[in-house]
């Protein structure tokens, strides 16, 4: 069995692809660096967030939780991904938790420094605006899949996003190199684990996927696209 790969195998899906090398270098010059251990939090729901976070090493999970313990995973962010909120004028707190799922090194950029860059650097300002737009598209497409195409469509969408984010293509087959439990998969679509297990077993019977010891292999990507009526979104939008 292939060992777990905790870095995106497809670098094209990083959400900072819009920024030029010069802009990335400028951002890195503004960063202060923090180390976050696996299982620790950058922030919790309700915390005041006026920063942007840039992952240098590691992986961060953004998720929402309810009082009765239900979890909805919003994003997995990896090295060279950026996230956070420094554009809102509202004083409301964060709407999600940010938890490290492995030991991580994260660059932190203050809202004030971002505002100066937006004011002084026209190219950065345009790139940052596009980055915000892509981030909104990512959220919108996930909500669309959850609301419009049922549990099967939402699961198919998640599997497609996995192939784009962690998949290695071998002929017509996609091998997903990151290990996912049934609980983790269920958190992406807000569905009980038992339901996800049943749906995965059906996809296995149909010859569309294989799931063994936490590793997924997709044999028929087109079938998954048909289930969720795939719009053929850009890779940077169709990702976890």
């Amino acid at each position: 069995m292939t060992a777990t790969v905790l870095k995106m195998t497809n670098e094209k899906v990083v959400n900072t692809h819009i920024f030029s090398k010069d802009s990335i270098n400028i951002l890195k010059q503004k960063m202060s660096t923090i180390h976050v251990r696996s299982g620790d939090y950058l922030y919790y729901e309700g915390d005041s967030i006026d920063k942007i976070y840039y992952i240098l090493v590691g992986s961060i999970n953004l998720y929402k939780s309810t009082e009765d313990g239900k979890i909805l995973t919003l994003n997995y962010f990896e090295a060279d991904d950026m996230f956070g909120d420094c554009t809102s004028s509202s004083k409301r707190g964060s709407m999600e938790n940010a938890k490290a799922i492995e030991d991580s090194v994260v660059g932190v950029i203050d809202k004030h420094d971002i505002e100066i860059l937006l004011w002084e650097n026209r190219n950065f300002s345009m790139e940052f605006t596009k980055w915000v737009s892509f981030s909104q598209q990512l959220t919108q497409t996930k909500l669309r899949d959850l609301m419009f195409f049922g549990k099967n469509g939402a699961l198919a969408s998640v599997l497609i996003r996995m192939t784009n984010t962690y998949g290695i293509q071998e002929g017509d087959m996609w091998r997903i190199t990151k290990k996912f439990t049934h609980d983790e998969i269920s958190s992406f679509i807000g569905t009980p684990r038992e339901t996800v297990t049943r749906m995965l077993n059906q996809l296995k019977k149909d010859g569309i996927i294989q799931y063994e010891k936490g590793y997924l292999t997709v044999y028929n990507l087109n079938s998954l696209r048909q289930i969720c009526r795939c719009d053929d979104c850009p890779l940077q939008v169709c990702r976890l």
Side-chain angles (χ1 to χ4, degrees), residues 23 33 35 39 52 57 63 66 127 134 143-144 152 161-162 166 172 179 184 188 201 210 220 224 235 239:
S23 293
T33 303
H35 294 255
I52 291 291
V57 177
Y63 72 92
T66 61
E127 292 164 359
F134 260 102
L143 289 175
R144 175 203 64 194
N152 286 318
R161 292 173 188 274
M162 286 180 179
Y166 299 107
D172 294 331
K179 189 174 183 177
E184 288 171 326
F188 281 108
N201 285 337
Q210 179 62 37
N220 194 330
L224 294 177
L235 281 176
R239 54 161 287 175

Side-chain angles (χ1 to χ4, degrees), residues 48-84:
S48 177
I49 302 299
D50 59 355
K51 297 176 176 61
I52 291 291
Y53 298 90
Y54 187 104
I55 303 178
L56 298 167
V57 177
S59 184
I60 304 292
N61 175 15
L62 262 62
Y63 72 92
K64 289 187 66 66
S65 59
T66 61
E67 292 182 357
D68 59 356
K70 293 181 180 178
I71 291 176
L72 177 63
T73 296
L74 303 174
N75 298 100
Y76 271 26
F77 289 121
E78 303 276 354
D80 293 320
D81 279 331
M82 191 165 72
F83 64 95

Side-chain angles (χ1 to χ4, degrees), residues 179-227:
K179 189 174 183 177
F180 289 94
T181 66
H182 284 199
D183 282 327
E184 288 171 326
I185 297 171
S186 69
S187 72
F188 281 108
I189 60 178
T191 300
R193 178 182 58 81
E194 294 79 9
T195 303
V196 167
T197 298
R198 185 172 64 252
M199 292 191 295
L200 288 173
N201 285 337
Q202 185 60 52
L203 291 173
K204 287 170 63 177
K205 289 180 181 178
D206 294 339
I208 296 174
I209 68 164
Q210 179 62 37
Y211 183 86
E212 183 178 357
K213 297 182 179 179
Y215 291 94
L216 280 154
T217 302
V218 176
Y219 292 117
N220 194 330
L221 192 59
N222 285 332
S223 291
L224 294 177
R225 287 173 173 163
Q226 290 172 7
I227 293 171

Side-chain angles (χ1 to χ4, degrees), residues 9 94 156 171 185 189 221 223 229 237-238:
T9 57
S94 169
I185 297 171
I189 60 178
L221 192 59
S223 291
R229 303 179 190 177
V237 173
C238 188

Side-chain angles (χ1 to χ4, degrees), residues 20-49:
S20 66
K21 290 184 179 179
D22 288 341
S23 293
I24 293 295
N25 288 334
I26 291 172
L27 280 172
K28 289 182 176 180
Q29 290 171 11
K30 298 291 184 181
M31 294 177 189
S32 59
T33 303
I34 60 174
H35 294 255
V36 189
R37 291 183 178 180
S38 177
D40 288 347
Y41 287 78
L42 282 172
Y43 54 82
Y44 297 91
E45 289 184 63
D47 286 353
S48 177
I49 302 299

